[in-house]
């Protein structure tokens, strides 16, 4: 591979990696949010749980981390597809299971952002979408490479 091709690949990997880190933070925060909310409803919030930020503040942090992670995921998918198409002319993105599973993950997080912005959803419902989205991301990351056939990596 040429130096320029390697630069595209390195950029793609780092952008995707940072998107995964941001989305992992949102996922972990959403899990803590859901646990904290359950304890609060059962009036069993005590100890370390009392030191966590309010549910409203946590919900906003989850939103920001997800928005940032989705922006990076968008850029990472774009860079990856352009890189593959540039250096492998026979490449077709919609026949690549990794791209398809990444797009499904992207759609899930986009639904989360859309539900928050245009439907006014907050709290439990939206944070469950973040959890589902991250599970899909993990399945995409670990599962798609096992079904890849004929795709240059």
């Amino acid at each position: 591979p040429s130096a320029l091709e390697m630069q595209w690949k390195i950029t793609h990997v780092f952008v995707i990696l940072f998107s995964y880190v941001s989305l992992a933070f949102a996922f972990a925060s959403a899990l803590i949010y859901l646990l904290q909310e359950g304890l609060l409803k059962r009036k069993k919030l005590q100890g370390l749980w009392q030191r966590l930020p309010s549910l409203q503040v946590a919900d906003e942090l989850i939103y920001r981390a997800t928005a940032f992670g989705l922006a990076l995921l968008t850029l990472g998918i774009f860079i990856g597809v352009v890189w593959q198409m540039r250096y492998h002319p026979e490449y077709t993105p919609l026949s690549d299971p990794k791209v398809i599973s990444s797009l499904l993950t992207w759609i899930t997080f986009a639904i989360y952002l859309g539900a928050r912005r245009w439907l006014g959803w907050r709290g439990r419902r939206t944070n469950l979408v973040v959890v589902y989205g991250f599970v899909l991301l993990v399945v995409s990351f670990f599962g798609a490479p096992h079904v890849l056939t004929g795709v240059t990596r």
Side-chain angles (χ1 to χ4, degrees), residues 76-136:
I77 291 170
F78 177 77
I79 290 169
V81 168
V82 169
W83 160 55
Q84 284 285 11
M85 291 177 76
R86 169 73 174 93
Y87 293 101
H88 306 281
E90 73 287 350
Y91 177 75
T92 53
L94 293 180
S95 66
D96 183 349
K98 186 69 176 172
V99 171
I100 293 168
S101 62
S102 294
L103 289 175
L104 290 173
T105 301
W106 186 94
I107 289 168
T108 303
F109 287 115
I111 287 170
Y112 162 80
L113 293 177
R116 260 188 78 95
R117 180 169 175 107
W118 291 297
L119 301 177
W121 286 13
R122 299 283 187 278
R124 182 174 185 75
R125 281 191 291 194
T126 55
N127 288 312
L128 284 171
V129 175
V130 171
V131 170
Y132 298 143
F134 189 76
V135 168
L136 191 55

Side-chain angles (χ1 to χ4, degrees), residues 6-69:
M6 285 305 296
Q7 189 63 38
W8 274 91
K9 185 175 188 175
I10 290 167
T11 303
H12 165 71
V13 168
F14 275 103
V15 170
I16 290 291
L17 179 65
F18 286 126
S19 77
Y20 285 8
V21 167
S22 183
L23 293 169
F25 174 79
F27 165 73
S29 299
L31 285 180
I32 291 170
Y33 176 99
L34 294 168
L35 289 169
Q36 183 181 7
E37 181 195 43
L39 291 171
L40 195 60
K41 282 185 177 182
R42 291 191 313 269
K43 298 184 187 331
K44 295 189 179 205
L45 192 67
Q46 54 191 352
L48 184 60
W49 292 100
Q50 292 175 319
R51 294 179 177 248
L52 292 174
S54 70
L55 292 177
Q56 184 178 1
V57 169
D59 197 46
E60 184 63 26
L61 288 172
I62 294 163
Y63 169 74
R64 289 178 184 201
T66 303
F68 182 71

Side-chain angles (χ1 to χ4, degrees), residues 134-151:
F134 189 76
V135 168
L136 191 55
L137 183 142
V138 170
V139 168
S140 170
F141 182 77
F142 290 109
H146 297 294
V147 295
L148 289 174
T149 54
V151 177

